[in-house]
Amino acid sequence: MNSKRAADRGLQAGTLARGPLNKISDVPGVSVGHATIRDARHNTGVTVVMPCEDNMFRSKLTAASFVLNGFGKTQGLIQVDELGTLETPIALTNTLNVGVVHDALVEYMVERCARERVPMHSLNPVVGECNDSQLNAIEDRAVTRAHVLQAIADCRSDFDEGDVGAGAGTICHGLKGGIGSASRIISIAGQSYTLGVLVQSNHGCLSELTVCGRRLGEEIIRARKQAQEPSPMDRGSIMMIVATDLPVSDRQLRRILKRCSVGLARCGSYFGHGSGDVMIGFSTANRVPHGGMARVLTRREINEEALEGAFFAVAEATQEAVLNSLCCADEVRAMDGRVIEAIGRYL
């Protein structure tokens, strides 16, 4: 795993101030953990985003999703969009392991609620995926429930990026992708708020790769002495997780999520037919108690015009998160002998 992030390589994605770690975990209470499987047949794993330190089923988080292109197999988004709340950690994995990861999240929340004496008779786990079959024998379904629990136990604020966890087998713009994150600080009425993004990048085509305005993909193709990219198609998927402490409604949060697409476009994605572009977001500011005991809820909510800064921030953070997923990844050899290069040799 490469330790050099985009900023360490002199790449400046935007102008807004970054959080202390420049990661999604700059939002207070948020942490991320991984379990990675790497052997002769597998480059895969699971990544868990823990949205808060307390029990999120007892006190749910305001949440939303937006699917730009639906070539994907996520779980749990129907209820998130209907009720506007999140009640479990968010897990990312490979396409054929969504079911077992769902089961593991259920196991974790059932045990936690029992231990904390929180009645729970239904649950809506949220799981996202990317297809890592170019670098992973995906049909083996190597991820187990134990790996999910391992990733949960691994959750921390200063987490690893690159080809780890759910990013171990992903390919981004023809180069080794993975997990990347970034954050931005915005000010509204004299108060500072944090917005962070985490991506599982497995999308894009090399010819369109753009790094802070530089058409790097075209340069790489020329350096390889290729006449053109063999298959210039934007295929694969990208999962984008947005966290913030802004006091927003689920409708406002969905408006913010849509602007992740700006950050993707700055990196050269055009959201092709085979690309699943999925955005999931939550706010730690407005919590919703379980059980309906509070019949009337009082919430803080920013004015609609104040969302402008959040739109700007999420675009920048998404762009840099994608770049970090590339910059922190090392090259990997596929089972057929192909080498998926890391971006570092071209920067």
Side-chain angles (χ1 to χ4, degrees), residues 31-227:
S31 58
V32 175
H34 308 290
T36 306
I37 303 169
R38 203 185 312 279
D39 57 37
R41 285 179 58 81
H42 307 111
N43 288 289
T44 193
V46 60
T47 294
V48 171
V49 178
M50 190 67 66
C52 58
E53 296 174 352
D54 59 305
N55 191 317
M56 68 286 302
F57 184 81
R58 175 164 43 197
S59 182
K60 306 177 197 305
L61 294 92
T62 298
S65 75
F66 179 69
V67 179
L68 185 61
N69 193 58
F71 206 135
K73 289 83 182 169
T74 54
Q75 193 157 18
L77 299 190
I78 293 175
Q79 181 171 309
V80 167
D81 287 341
E82 183 70 21
L83 303 184
T85 57
L86 176 70
E87 59 189 25
T88 74
I90 300 172
L92 305 175
T93 190
N94 70 64
T95 305
L96 297 189
N97 268 126
V98 170
V100 74
V101 172
H102 166 278
D103 288 349
L105 287 181
V106 171
E107 178 180 329
Y108 167 76
M109 290 302 298
V110 165
E111 188 280 329
R112 180 168 184 174
C113 286
R115 174 165 37 90
E116 297 177 6
R117 298 185 178 181
V118 177
M120 190 261 282
H121 305 290
S122 180
L123 190 70
N124 184 54
V126 175
V127 185
E129 56 79 31
C130 287
N131 191 311
D132 57 15
S133 58
Q134 290 193 63
L135 292 173
N136 174 50
I138 195 170
E139 66 276 12
D140 292 350
R141 293 181 290 173
V143 175
T144 67
R145 285 194 282 182
H147 289 117
V148 182
L149 299 178
Q150 177 186 334
I152 291 172
D154 183 60
C155 282
R156 63 190 73 179
S157 56
D158 197 5
F159 55 90
D160 291 335
E161 296 169 280
D163 47 326
V164 294
T170 61
I171 299 173
C172 179
H173 285 282
L175 303 171
K176 187 64 191 77
I179 299 296
S181 192
S183 70
R184 293 294 186 271
I185 307 297
I186 58 178
S187 179
I188 298 176
Q191 184 168 344
S192 293
Y193 297 94
T194 303
L195 185 149
V197 176
L198 179 141
V199 303
Q200 177 193 15
S201 65
N202 193 49
H203 68 292
C205 59
L206 180 58
S207 59
E208 294 301 307
L209 174 61
T210 305
V211 176
C212 298
R214 177 184 172 189
R215 297 283 293 180
L216 184 62
E218 293 178 349
E219 294 179 25
I220 293 173
I221 291 171
R222 288 196 297 270
R224 291 174 176 175
K225 298 182 179 179
Q226 296 173 211

Side-chain angles (χ1 to χ4, degrees), residues 266-277:
R266 289 175 180 173
C267 294
S269 177
Y270 62 86
F271 325 117
H273 161 68
S275 179
D277 309 292

Side-chain angles (χ1 to χ4, degrees), residues 14-33:
T15 59
L16 293 178
R18 295 160 172 79
L21 293 172
N22 193 19
K23 296 181 180 181
I24 193 173
S25 49
D26 287 326
V27 178
V30 177
S31 58
V32 175

